[in-house]
């Protein structure tokens, strides 16, 4: 049986922090990690780990008696999918393995000192506003190469490798210079979320053009409802994602590819400036400056109370707010409206991607067990269990077939089907944490503090140029 304590593992947070402080390891996340781990790539992998005999049911050669430690981020997806679905699946195959489980809302705070000290958990859900710098983890040899996992047979889809069962682009989304070091498991659809019952009661329809969008916001404002908002304290990436969605729709997906690749002047592209200009005006006219200091759940609660009409987020939102969603509220999502009449991509185009990072610690005690745990997550049963528990799609193809799904998930699935092949994503946020941090701050300035589009572009270009010029930061391309 899995050991599932309420707040920690055998090495609790206080002990971890105390030991880390004594060792002088509590530096900034990226620098503390890199200082502690000078080696890079697979050279840092733990080769002195338990292994078992490979077989059809144990293709990765896991030691069936070896303990396994799993850490899950406790956020919008919760943790029941791990405790109720994936850990039992792993233990069914390896009943003699003691699985230790813990959860935290601050992955970097709790786990990074353990990584630096050479005592990482085996499988880590690296997510949340305080996630670890994935690019730095890869550079320091702390993340396991998952090539063997993706080549292994599926747990329950006969005749298929794990990779064969996945939505196209999944493996690539977790690659760093051609090698997969992360599993992005949740197939997340991003857009503008609203209460479909509120819209129906007021005869409001989802806008397709920018003129329709601003006209709708005016109507909502006239009803005494805040038309549009997000939480500045910890969810500003929701908003910069929307800005970059508009940029990609205006100028095409290469706008985002150039940003990822640190191309010269990528943040100064006309499409980026035009998108920032359009959204800056939304913030100034329809937002609430007081929300700069609020957390995401605080603004989301206001939306559940019909005090905020439209909220940018990913498809985890419905599950995250389940306990606070009243009977008169029904989640739905719309694509970001077209900013111009000549956008390069259609109005139905969306940001949708494999997200929610899970990785195996290369220097953990049981990296083979960590990869096997991911194999169970990627089974059809594991994916269905996740979707039932979270109302979020996974990257496993066809896993929702036959499931009765919620209104919000139905809406996001409809939006995804309407987009067809016209969906896109970026990776700079996981490759370069410094750029992610700066994008959050620059977005808040643009939306809440009277920043203008050119200042936004200049600020982000300066940050990107600094990352590009910093020889200590490994560069990635796609």
């Amino acid at each position: 049986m899995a050991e599932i304590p309420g707040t920690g593992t055998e090495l609790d947070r206080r002990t971890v922090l105390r030991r880390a402080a004594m060792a002088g390891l509590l530096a900034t996340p990226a620098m503390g990690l890199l200082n502690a781990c000078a080696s890079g790539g697979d050279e840092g992998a733990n080769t002195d780990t338990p292994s078992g005999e490979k077989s059809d049911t144990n293709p990765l050669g896991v030691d069936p008696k070896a303990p396994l430690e799993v850490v899950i981020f406790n956020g919008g997806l919760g943790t029941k999918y791990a405790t109720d679905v994936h850990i039992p699946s792993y233990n069914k195959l390896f009943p003699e393995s003691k699985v230790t489980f813990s959860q935290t809302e601050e992955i970097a705070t709790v786990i990074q000192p353990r990584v630096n000290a050479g005592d990482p958990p085996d499988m880590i859900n690296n997510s949340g506003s305080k996630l670890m710098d994935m690019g730095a983890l890869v550079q320091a040899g702390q993340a396991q190469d998952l090539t063997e996992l993706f080549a292994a047979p599926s747990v329950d889809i006969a005749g298929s490798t794990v990779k064969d069962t996945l939505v196209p682009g999944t493996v690539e989304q977790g690659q760093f210079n051609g090698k997969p070091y992360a599993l992005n498991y949740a197939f997340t659809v991003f857009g503008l979320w609203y209460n479909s019952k509120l819209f129906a009661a007021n005869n409001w329809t989802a806008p397709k053009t920018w003129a329709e969008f601003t006209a709708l916001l005016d109507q909502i404002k006239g009803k005494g409802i805040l038309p549009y908002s997000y939480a500045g304290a910890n969810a500003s990436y929701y908003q910069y994602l929307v800005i970059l969605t508009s940029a990609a729709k205006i100028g095409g997906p290469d706008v985002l590819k150039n940003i990822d690749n640190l191309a010269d002047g990528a943040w100064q592209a006309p499409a980026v400036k035009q998108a920032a200009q359009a959204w800056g005006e939304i913030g100034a006219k329809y937002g609430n400056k007081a929300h700069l200091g609020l957390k995401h759940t605080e603004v989301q609660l206001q939306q559940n109370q019909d005090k905020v009409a439209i909220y940018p987020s990913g498809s985890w939102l419905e599950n995250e707010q389940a306990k606070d969603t009243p009977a008169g509220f029904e989640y739905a999502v719309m694509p970001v409206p077209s900013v111009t009449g000549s956008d390069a991509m259609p109005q139905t185009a969306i940001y949708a991607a494999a997200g929610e990072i899970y990785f195996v610690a290369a220097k953990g005690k049981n990296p083979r067990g960590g990869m096997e745990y991911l194999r169970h997550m990627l089974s059809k049963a594991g994916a269905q269990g996740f979707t039932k528990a979270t109302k979020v799609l996974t990257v496993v193809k066809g896993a929702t077939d036959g499931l009765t799904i919620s209104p919000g998930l139905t809406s996001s699935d409809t939006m995804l089907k309407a987009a067809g092949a016209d969906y896109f994503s970026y990776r700079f946020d996981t490759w370069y944490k410094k750029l992610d941090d700066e994008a959050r701050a620059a977005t808040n300035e643009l939306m809440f503090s009277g920043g203008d589009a050119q200042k936004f572009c200049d600020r982000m270009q300066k940050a990107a140029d600094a990352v590009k010029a910093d020889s200590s930061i490994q560069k990635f391309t796609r």
Side-chain angles (χ1 to χ4, degrees), residues 85-166:
V85 181
H86 300 146
I87 290 175
S89 178
Y90 183 91
N91 267 148
K92 184 177 180 181
L93 183 59
F94 302 115
E96 295 182 83
S97 172
K98 179 183 179 182
V99 179
T100 302
F101 165 82
S102 65
Q103 61 187 35
T104 178
E105 295 180 8
E106 298 186 357
I107 289 292
T109 303
V110 177
I111 302 303
Q112 183 112 29
R114 292 187 56 186
V115 172
N116 293 351
D119 180 39
D122 300 304
M123 200 295 298
I124 303 160
N125 173 203
N126 188 28
S127 187
S129 60
K130 294 188 178 181
L131 79 170
M132 294 185 287
D133 185 332
M134 199 65 212
L137 288 165
V138 171
Q139 184 175 352
Q142 295 285 2
Q144 178 75 25
D145 183 345
L146 301 179
T147 299
E148 194 173 353
L149 162 68
F150 293 120
S154 165
V155 170
D156 58 2
I157 302 176
S160 298
T161 66
V162 170
K163 183 177 181 180
D164 291 338
T165 69
L166 306 181

